Amino acid sequence: MAVKSFPQVYAENPEKKLTLYYLVLGFVALLVGSLFGPFQALNYGNVDAYPLLKRLLPFVQSYYQGLTLHGVLNAIVFTQLLAMAVMFYLPARELRAYGVRPNLTWGWVAWWMAFLGLLVAALPLLANEATVLYTFYPPLKGHWAFYVGATVFVAASLVVGLLVIGMWLRFKQHHPERITPLATYMAVTFWLMWLLASLGLVVESVFLLIPWSLGLVQGVDPLLARTLFWYTGHPIVYFWLLPAYALLYLVLPKLAGGKLISDPLARVVFLLFLLFSVPVGFHHQYADPGITPTWKFVHAVLTLFVAVPSLITAFTVAASLELAGRMRGGKGLFGWIKALPWDNPAFVAPVLGLIAFIPGGAGGIVNASYTLNYVIHNTTWVPGHFHLQVGTLVTMTMMGAVFWLVPQLTGKPLTEGIRKAGLAGMWLWFVGMLVMAVGMHWQGLLNVPRRAYIAQAPDAYTHAAVPMVFNILAGIILLLAIVLFFYAFFALLFRGERRAEVAAEEVPFAEVLSDGGDTPAMRLLDRIWFWFALAVLLVVLAYGPTLVQLFGNLNPVPGWRLW
């Protein structure tokens, strides 16, 4: 077969260019947001580096503005753009084999919405007019442009979700007898979960925060706003996590040299997330009045259910990796581990993320516990847990994907220097995150508050001096990791050499050891609309009574500006 030219490859696969734009915008956000991270870490080491930051970046007025920029860019912007990239590209490439192509016009509309929304939201953030932290709790009141920009940005993800669901419906229309292919199945259940989960944030922004910030209404009920925020605010964690899970199931076994051991287990995992991701938000509000203990307990139980699909994932991925190690010649109880491709950053990054995810998941069960949560509530334990989940598995899986995805999106092959820089960056990132997690969990148990400028009160937490050292070390290590990873990223992105055969490479989808076949159980799993209806019913039951009560007893208060 004749080798196609690069323009031919790109013209026949236009989704590559769109995916690259999502990905690059996301990593630029991660770079900017991450550079504020070491200053946060030093603050929790009782080192006040903000005077230095103000000299370097005069627009930064306070610790809280830096924290807002760090949280918004890393936890909202980067994660959403990478979700848009991965959960669009994987089904788009898979469904090509069935003659289904994406509507790229809507894909580009989504990119421009994300870009312009980000731009509009960034202006008040940089001007210190929206230092409301990434949870933007009322009565903290930011500039209207921040809320409008953030709403448009989130709406961009919904456009991509509808685009992917539309591709699936066309697949079903032309192939009604076929079971949905695995990558598409994951993407559709993921986007349906997000369509349901995002309703809280959409209602809060459109009907409360934007009219309030524009002066159209005089006050907002803080409890109602917090409830709507956490309606989305906890499932948004799965919005960040599931694209990483999709890559763990679909690509990692292939990169390791093996196969995915079970297709049906992967489908069960995504279905369980569809069912149980949303009705869990009250476990963030155990200390809030106005919500009955009964409903808080119901949400606590449902939150523990969400641990089940993660445990299934740990088993499935670990078994797939063991199979890969043995297929590569590994022997004995642990010999298969040594046989895995530890010289490949695309493999190493998600595996290290998985290792860090284990203590992170255990900490999540503490957070969900109705009683233990009171011990660590609003302490540094919470961001310590958060960084173990989002800062390792989610972020490292996406970083690892750069080393196979960018070459096939751009046609630019990986060099030995880029591979080594990427590999070193991933190990440093892993070590830095673990060191920081130890420090922040430890400090949390010593009652050090989160989101606090503690370096400004150096004598307030002297009893936490030892774990503070961990945060200082972590800040230094993570800064080195940022430099190495982004050197590798931009060196790859701006390479001059392009090869058509590299651009023509397909997604390394893993083969499946057990595909489930065409059985009644697989047909039941494939009834996605039925499962979605069940998820909606669960949400109505878990949230309906409380929301009716809150909307019927509004206590609006005026806005505050504390910065």
Side-chain angles (χ1 to χ4, degrees):
M1 187 172 66
V3 176
K4 295 178 180 177
S5 66
F6 184 81
Q8 280 179 306
V9 173
Y10 232 43
E12 292 175 6
N13 303 277
E15 62 271 16
K16 286 178 180 278
K17 183 177 180 180
L18 176 59
T19 304
L20 182 65
Y21 271 61
Y22 288 148
L23 186 142
V24 170
L25 188 58
F27 274 105
V28 169
L30 178 69
L31 172 61
V32 177
S34 295
L35 290 175
F36 289 96
F39 292 92
Q40 304 292 326
L42 290 174
N43 170 61
Y44 278 101
N46 230 358
V47 177
D48 188 0
Y50 271 84
L52 171 63
L53 181 59
K54 288 178 185 177
R55 283 199 290 274
L56 294 172
L57 302 172
F59 66 85
V60 178
Q61 298 298 308
S62 70
Y63 159 83
Y64 297 99
Q65 187 188 7
L67 177 59
T68 303
L69 285 163
H70 178 65
V72 169
L73 289 173
N74 286 4
I76 296 178
V77 178
F78 165 69
T79 49
Q80 177 180 310
L81 285 163
L82 268 291
M84 290 164 69
V86 171
M87 297 311 247
F88 160 74
Y89 188 66
L90 295 179
R93 299 304 295 176
E94 183 177 61
L95 291 180
R96 284 175 60 85
Y98 300 92
V100 177
R101 306 299 294 270
N103 185 330
L104 289 178
T105 301
W106 284 110
W108 282 108
V109 166
W111 188 87
W112 278 105
M113 286 175 64
F115 178 72
L116 294 174
L118 176 59
L119 194 63
V120 170
L123 293 175
L125 283 174
L126 296 174
N128 198 29
E129 293 293 333
T131 304
V132 292
L133 311 181
Y134 92 96
T135 48
F136 38 95
Y137 281 159
L140 289 179
K141 185 178 181 180
H143 193 278
W144 63 265
F146 171 70
Y147 299 121
V148 170
T151 303
V152 172
F153 182 78
V154 172
S157 67
L158 301 180
V159 173
V160 174
L162 294 174
L163 188 161
V164 172
I165 292 169
M167 290 165 57
W168 170 61
L169 291 176
R170 278 185 279 134
F171 163 80
K172 278 295 187 185
Q173 182 182 2
H174 296 298
H175 307 280
E177 77 291 351
R178 295 191 72 98
I179 290 174
T180 305
L182 182 57
T184 305
Y185 186 88
M186 290 177 167
V188 171
T189 51
F190 164 79
W191 285 116
L192 286 175
M193 183 280 290
W194 180 236
L195 286 174
L196 182 59
S198 62
L199 286 176
L201 200 56
V202 170
V203 172
E204 183 192 8
S205 296
V206 174
F207 295 104
L208 300 182
L209 299 181
I210 292 176
W212 179 53
S213 61
L214 286 169
L216 301 177
V217 296
Q218 295 306 308
V220 165
D221 185 327
L223 180 58
L224 174 61
R226 283 168 63 87
T227 303
L228 290 171
F229 178 85
W230 285 117
Y231 173 99
T232 301
H234 191 80
I236 202 173
V237 174
Y238 308 113
F239 177 67
W240 304 333
L241 187 62
L242 290 183
Y245 273 24
L247 292 172
L248 295 179
Y249 280 107
L250 297 169
V251 175
L252 182 63
K254 178 80 169 184
L255 295 176
K259 299 178 181 180
L260 174 65
I261 63 163
S262 173
D263 172 304
L265 273 180
R267 291 173 193 263
V268 168
V269 164
F270 275 71
L271 267 192
L272 290 176
F273 276 116
L274 173 61
L275 288 173
F276 296 119
S277 287
V278 183
V280 297
F282 290 164
H283 85 257
H284 289 265
Q285 296 181 271
Y286 289 154
D288 286 7
I291 300 172
T292 65
T294 303
W295 287 114
K296 290 177 181 176
F297 180 74
V298 169
H299 280 232
V301 173
L302 290 172
T303 304
L304 295 176
F305 283 0
V306 188
V308 175
S310 286
L311 291 172
I312 297 174
T313 298
F315 166 77
T316 309
V317 175
S320 300
L321 293 181
E322 181 179 355
L323 176 66
R326 298 198 185 283
M327 289 174 67
R328 294 169 66 94
K331 306 289 184 186
L333 190 58
F334 299 112
W336 61 271
I337 297 175
K338 188 178 177 183
L340 292 170
W342 294 103
D343 59 343
N344 181 358
F347 167 82
V348 168
V351 171
L352 294 181
L354 268 170
I355 293 170
F357 194 69
I358 295 170
I365 293 174
V366 172
N367 298 346
S369 165
Y370 202 63
T371 49
L372 292 177
N373 183 279
Y374 285 99
V375 178
I376 50 86
H377 184 72
N378 266 342
T379 70
T380 57
W381 171 288
V382 178
H385 161 75
F386 187 84
H387 281 82
L388 272 185
Q389 306 296 87
V390 183
T392 54
L393 181 59
V394 173
T395 305
M396 294 187 75
T397 301
M398 297 307 164
M399 286 173 159
V402 162
F403 298 101
W404 62 265
L405 184 55
V406 170
Q408 70 171 242
L409 295 180
T410 62
K412 299 178 180 182
L414 206 63
T415 66
E416 187 63 9
I418 292 172
R419 182 192 68 79
K420 288 180 176 176
L423 196 61
M426 291 302 89
W427 276 103
L428 282 175
W429 188 278
F430 171 68
V431 172
M433 282 290 172
L434 284 187
V435 172
M436 185 177 68
V438 170
M440 299 202 85
H441 280 84
W442 192 348
Q443 283 181 299
L445 294 175
L446 296 174
N447 298 319
V448 177
R450 66 169 172 158
R451 296 172 172 176
Y453 193 8
I454 68 167
Q456 209 175 31
D459 298 328
Y461 300 101
T462 53
H463 63 290
V466 176
M468 284 179 178
V469 175
F470 283 76
N471 286 322
I472 296 171
L473 288 173
I476 296 168
I477 295 170
L478 285 168
L479 182 59
L480 293 174
I482 291 167
V483 171
L484 283 169
F485 170 75
F486 279 101
Y487 161 75
F489 177 76
F490 287 113
L492 180 57
L493 193 64
F494 293 119
R495 282 201 71 198
E497 181 187 3
R498 304 175 93 179
R499 295 183 193 163
E501 65 272 22
V502 175
E505 288 179 2
E506 276 300 332
V507 175
F509 285 124
E511 292 180 51
V512 178
L513 196 61
S514 170
D515 64 6
D518 189 356
T519 62
M522 289 292 284
R523 291 283 170 191
L524 181 61
L525 291 175
D526 205 42
R527 295 178 61 185
I528 297 175
W529 287 123
F530 165 75
W531 297 109
F532 180 63
L534 201 56
V536 172
L537 179 63
L538 269 175
V539 169
V540 171
L541 292 175
Y543 267 103
T546 303
L547 286 177
V548 168
Q549 175 203 334
L550 293 178
F551 274 106
N553 297 278
L554 294 175
N555 294 291
V557 299
W560 292 354
R561 178 177 168 131
L562 302 178
W563 63 93

